[in-house]
Amino acid sequence: MKISFRSTIPVLSALMLASGGAASLSAIAAEPAKAPLRTGGTVHQLISNWTGKGFELLSTAPPAPVHGKSSHAGSVWDDARQTMWIFGAETHKTAMDNAVYGWRASDGLFIKQYDADPSSGYRMDAAGIYWSSADKIRPWAMHTYRRMRMVPGTDEFEVVYDPYEHAGMTPLVYENPAHTSANRAPAMWYYNVVTGTWRHQSFGSSVKMVRASYTYPVGFDPVHGWFTGDGSTWKRLSLNGTYSTASVSGKSNGQYHSYMFVKDSIAYRVGGNSSTTLYSRHPLSNITLSKKFLVADFPQLVGYTVANMASAMMPDGRIVIFPARASEMHAMILDPVANTLSPTGHFVTGMDKPTLYEQAAEWSPAHNAVILLSRRFSASRVYAYRP
């Protein structure tokens, strides 16, 4: 095998709204995360000891119960604690895993914050909120792929997802017997990685945003709020809870499971479940100026597969993409402002299917590298990629 392998500072009002108020705010240099329930994994290389460029294998994940393998989990990078947090489950089966996992750069180990709740306790309360037990301290497992973010300036990550969608079961208990799943009111969920506690928040028309286009990524901008959209309709939730839609027919990346990045109030959707569109550009101040850019316009991609590839935005706004060629995962640099694509010559081999939801990808500012977690077809491994 050859191994030559998002930062915004929102205004205070937006930050407090996104995190639910000043009570959850804390300094970036927070105390260490809550002691995990379990740790484990095989450490191949500590990223702090690695000074090279290209790809580097860092860790191999241990089997359950330390690490729960799920291709449809979401991920975020917590730079304060140098941890990739992982939450979400396949949810196509009744074995629903709502545990929070992480990978720590400090020691190269995987951690588990708490055990998953048994699906026998899953319920919907009288307000329409989905809980995993009668204790009502944790939500259902969710299909959170690319619908999570670390809330800047806090110890929380945010999940914007309707747990009923793409789930292999309905609530086993309806606390209001007159209700069905149609009465659900999915909320935005927040997990505090220091205290190990969950909370939820609903405001304005936030329910509409949580339930919108569940196969598409959700982005956030400190001025324009939350947004998502399919191939024809852009959907937005403002900071005060106002929900609106706009047509982007013919101008949008219609591929689901794309990545969403935001830089200077412009959203970029990259990749997705298609081989025709490389990315799309969405000026949030005037969404009608959206535009998509086709794979065919980039001769550098001839012979490569871009469907469901991983990608990560660097602080300068350029985006590292990871197209595949056979079993090789390559790194290229996309400049979405100049609309240029530059091969790096770096690639890693040995994966069964390098794309097809395989990779979680997060940028680490401290290490100037992308952290990649393979989690579906091949053994779960953590790689670093430094341009």
Side-chain angles (χ1 to χ4, degrees):
M1 171 165 58
K2 179 178 179 179
I3 300 181
S4 53
F5 231 165
R6 307 178 268 247
S7 164
T8 50
I9 303 176
V11 295
L12 182 59
S13 59
L15 177 59
M16 291 177 65
L17 177 60
S19 60
S24 62
L25 298 179
S26 65
I28 289 291
E31 63 270 30
K34 181 176 182 287
L37 180 67
R38 297 185 181 89
T39 62
T42 301
V43 180
H44 303 284
Q45 170 72 65
L46 287 179
I47 191 171
S48 59
N49 296 334
W50 174 58
T51 59
K53 292 188 176 182
F55 289 89
E56 180 75 13
L57 177 62
L58 301 177
S59 304
T60 300
V66 177
H67 173 62
K69 186 175 183 179
S70 173
S71 61
H72 288 119
S75 63
V76 293
W77 180 255
D78 179 356
D79 208 48
R81 280 156 287 272
Q82 292 293 289
T83 298
M84 176 189 279
W85 296 109
I86 307 154
F87 171 71
E90 194 68 51
T91 73
H92 297 301
K93 302 176 181 179
T94 56
M96 306 274 275
D97 187 347
N98 70 334
V100 171
Y101 299 90
W103 176 83
R104 297 189 301 213
S106 59
D107 58 11
L109 296 178
F110 285 81
I111 64 177
K112 186 177 185 180
Q113 294 283 78
Y114 57 83
D115 278 330
D117 295 310
S119 57
S120 58
Y122 277 33
R123 63 193 56 236
M124 187 177 84
D125 71 12
I129 305 298
Y130 276 29
W131 299 96
S132 61
S133 73
D135 293 334
K136 298 182 183 178
I137 58 174
R138 290 189 283 264
W140 271 43
M142 302 182 217
H143 201 80
T144 59
Y145 194 59
R146 297 174 188 172
R147 296 177 71 98
M148 290 171 54
R149 72 182 179 104
M150 197 76 197
V151 182
T154 78
D155 301 320
E156 294 183 315
F157 63 70
E158 175 189 75
V159 181
V160 183
Y161 193 82
D162 178 0
Y164 175 80
E165 295 288 2
H166 233 53
M169 59 180 289
T170 56
L172 299 181
V173 176
Y174 290 94
E175 295 187 358
N176 183 338
H179 282 177
T180 68
S181 58
N183 299 106
R184 70 190 186 278
M188 295 182 178
W189 287 94
Y190 296 86
Y191 180 74
N192 188 306
V193 301
V194 173
T195 63
T197 56
W198 282 96
R199 65 180 181 87
H200 66 282
Q201 180 183 23
S202 294
F203 62 97
S205 297
S206 61
V207 169
K208 291 184 179 180
M209 174 56 69
V210 178
R211 293 180 72 165
S213 307
Y214 75 94
T215 58
Y216 293 90
V218 170
F220 176 81
D221 177 80
V223 174
H224 298 278
W226 295 262
F227 41 85
T228 185
D230 52 27
S232 59
T233 304
W234 190 261
K235 303 168 185 181
R236 183 171 78 92
L237 180 72
S238 69
L239 300 177
N240 65 8
T242 301
Y243 181 77
S244 59
T245 62
S247 174
V248 287
S249 180
K251 303 176 181 180
S252 177
N253 178 354
Q255 301 156 271
Y256 61 84
H257 287 165
S258 51
Y259 278 81
M260 182 86 83
F261 306 106
V262 187
K263 179 71 172 177
D264 299 330
S265 288
I266 298 175
Y268 301 97
R269 291 178 51 188
V270 181
N273 192 41
S274 175
S275 58
T276 58
T277 303
L278 178 59
Y279 74 103
S280 55
R281 183 180 187 272
H282 306 275
L284 298 176
S285 61
N286 188 351
I287 204 66
T288 62
L289 298 179
S290 296
K291 184 178 180 180
K292 64 180 178 181
F293 301 85
L294 302 179
V295 171
D297 295 332
F298 297 91
Q300 304 93 322
L301 292 173
V302 172
Y304 288 88
T305 298
V306 301
N308 295 303
M309 69 179 175
S311 59
M313 178 175 274
M314 297 187 287
D316 64 5
R318 292 180 300 157
I319 300 169
V320 187
I321 67 171
F322 297 96
R325 186 172 63 189
S327 65
E328 300 172 350
M329 183 173 69
H330 288 244
M332 299 185 184
I333 308 296
L334 170 67
D335 185 333
V337 176
N339 190 33
T340 59
L341 182 64
S342 304
T344 65
H346 299 143
F347 67 93
V348 64
T349 63
M351 296 183 182
D352 296 334
K353 299 178 181 179
T355 57
L356 202 58
Y357 322 139
E358 173 68 350
Q359 302 290 331
E362 303 291 341
W363 179 262
S364 168
H367 296 290
N368 195 36
V370 184
I371 307 299
L372 294 143
L373 169 63
S374 64
R375 56 187 178 181
R376 186 167 188 164
F377 296 101
S378 56
S380 292
R381 305 184 186 101
V382 178
Y383 295 89
Y385 173 73
R386 184 174 289 132

